[in-house]
Amino acid sequence: AASASLAPLGPRPLRGRRTLPTSRPRCRSGQVLFNTCVCASVYMLDATFSDLEPLPQDDGPVPVVRIAYPDGFEEVMSYFRRVVVTGECSQRTLQLSAEVIAHNAANYTAWQYRRRCLEAMHSGSSNAAREQAWREELAFCTARGRENLKNYQVWFHRRSCLARLGSGPEAELEFVAEILRDDSKNYHAWGHRQWVLSSCGGWDGEAAFVEGLLEEDARNNSAWNQRYFLLQHTADLSS
């Protein structure tokens, strides 16, 4: 049988409009998101960004192997590319970045754009309002972090939130301890714990924490590494 010839594939058009539902899901911080869970029924963004022209991905004139993106991904990214180009920092672009992250939590540009939006939106806010905004962002980061415990971008964003809040180490060390109870060798969690100790303090209880992990598993190389890190910063190893 003769094989059928394949015609060159042009740019994939954006899907048509969808009806907006009456309610929208919320993340733990209370922020309204377009589609927190990346469900099959994606909220169409045309109504919210009716003043913007989506910027589709440029795969060249004749893409050879097109990526099979999940439903809604292309629409979200097309609008996100446009707002990155325009540089708009607003509540709607902050929400859009959350939608991008819901599709791909490793999108470092989306995380960076969230920080940029928050800085711009609260540049003239009171200290209390600014702190509240970053606390809500930390809650959003926590919700996403629990779903992506080995994601560089999530942990870096968490550090950025904590640095702006200037909080003490107790709550954050307990958060990391909770993560390590489920996975005692999570490289990202250990790295974050070391950052907290170095930046915020909290050294006093670290020896007991490490000893507890070693009693549970003497072959836990991560805990032994943390013990050495602790001694490096709290003891005179040259004596």
Side-chain angles (χ1 to χ4, degrees):
S3 59
S5 60
L6 298 177
L9 297 176
R12 181 182 295 174
L14 292 176
R15 296 175 177 85
R17 292 179 178 272
R18 296 183 179 90
T19 303
L20 290 172
T22 55
S23 62
R24 293 178 176 177
R26 296 174 181 266
C27 68
R28 294 184 184 182
S29 66
Q31 292 171 312
V32 179
L33 308 182
F34 294 115
N35 173 31
T36 306
C37 302
V38 194
C39 306
S41 57
V42 180
Y43 294 111
M44 198 56 206
L45 307 179
D46 288 354
T48 305
F49 294 96
S50 59
D51 57 317
L52 297 180
E53 181 68 24
L55 182 60
Q57 178 173 305
D58 184 4
D59 290 326
V62 185
V64 178
V65 180
R66 177 178 289 141
I67 298 174
Y69 293 114
D71 185 44
F73 180 87
E74 290 178 273
E75 290 97 326
V76 170
M77 287 304 301
S78 292
Y79 279 106
F80 184 62
R81 290 188 199 93
R82 180 58 68 191
V83 300
V84 169
V85 170
T86 61
E88 177 186 338
C89 291
S90 63
Q91 187 62 35
R92 69 173 185 173
T93 59
L94 186 67
Q95 293 170 356
L96 179 60
S97 68
E99 175 67 10
V100 174
I101 290 167
H103 279 283
N104 178 16
N107 189 319
Y108 58 85
T109 303
W111 287 108
Q112 185 274 339
Y113 208 81
R114 289 189 70 80
R115 296 191 292 274
R116 178 178 171 183
C117 282
L118 288 168
E119 291 284 4
M121 291 166 60
H122 295 282
S123 60
S125 301
S126 65
N127 291 337
R130 190 180 302 111
E131 179 180 344
Q132 179 61 25
W134 283 105
R135 289 201 179 280
E136 290 182 357
E137 186 64 13
L138 181 61
F140 171 82
C141 188
T142 299
R144 280 293 167 222
R146 291 185 185 278
E147 300 169 357
N148 302 273
L149 292 175
K150 296 185 178 181
N151 181 305
Y152 285 100
Q153 288 73 30
V154 174
W155 286 104
F156 182 84
H157 190 73
R158 187 173 188 86
R159 294 183 188 184
S160 298
C161 293
L162 293 169
R164 287 168 172 82
L165 288 170
S167 305
E170 294 80 12
E172 194 63 13
L173 289 175
E174 177 54 35
F175 171 77
V176 179
E178 178 187 343
I179 302 301
L180 292 174
R181 278 193 285 269
D182 292 333
D183 181 3
S184 63
K185 299 179 182 180
N186 186 319
Y187 170 85
H188 303 269
W190 280 114
H192 184 70
R193 191 174 184 87
Q194 292 183 357
W195 177 85
V196 173
L197 290 167
S198 300
S199 303
C200 309
W203 298 97
D204 292 344
E206 193 63 12
F209 174 74
V210 173
E211 288 297 330
L213 291 176
L214 290 174
E215 287 179 3
E216 294 176 5
D217 180 10
R219 294 184 176 88
N220 187 337
N221 293 331
S222 298
W224 283 110
N225 180 72
Q226 183 70 359
R227 180 181 172 85
Y228 182 68
F229 174 82
L230 174 64
L231 292 173
Q232 279 184 310
H233 290 81
T234 60
D236 184 3
L237 299 182
S238 62
S239 60

